[in-house]
Amino acid sequence: MGGKKIVCRCNDVTVEEVEALIDSGVTDIEEIKRLLRIGMGPCQGRTCIPIVLSILARKTGKRQEEIPLPKARVPTRPVRVEVIVGGADE
């Protein structure tokens, strides 16, 4: 059973896509995040970031501890909690 090896279920990113990006010279986790949208889905990276860090460490020969975690970004403008949880109209 071959099939795709999914790294990010939220945005349907595969191991092959991550490895291809790293092989093309992109080794910064922030850049990988922006290009593949990992960590930007509903799980906010709880699943995919550790997997991508392990792939990045394996491909670059670094230890995972040496690779800085991507920065969390807050919304650019304040949003009421009701809007986020769906209890109010935008």
Side-chain angles (χ1 to χ4, degrees), residues 70-81:
K71 293 178 177 50
R73 302 229 183 341
V74 295
T76 56
R77 62 185 179 131
V79 177
R80 293 189 355 219
V81 173

Side-chain angles (χ1 to χ4, degrees), residues 10-82:
C10 299
N11 291 313
D12 199 31
V13 177
T14 66
V15 170
E16 292 77 16
E17 289 173 303
V18 173
E19 289 179 339
L21 200 58
I22 295 168
D23 290 342
S24 75
V26 179
T27 58
D28 177 63
I29 190 74
E30 290 288 341
E31 208 172 335
I32 294 170
K33 180 179 175 180
R34 280 191 289 280
L35 293 169
L36 295 178
R37 300 198 47 79
I38 59 161
M40 296 184 189
C43 86
Q44 292 295 288
R46 285 179 203 78
T47 303
C48 58
I49 295 295
I51 296 170
V52 172
L53 286 173
S54 70
I55 295 169
L56 189 55
R58 177 176 48 83
K59 298 287 281 179
T60 61
K62 294 182 180 180
R63 293 190 351 251
Q64 276 189 256
E65 299 79 33
E66 296 177 272
I67 303 168
L69 292 172
K71 293 178 177 50
R73 302 229 183 341
V74 295
T76 56
R77 62 185 179 131
V79 177
R80 293 189 355 219
V81 173
E82 294 86 9

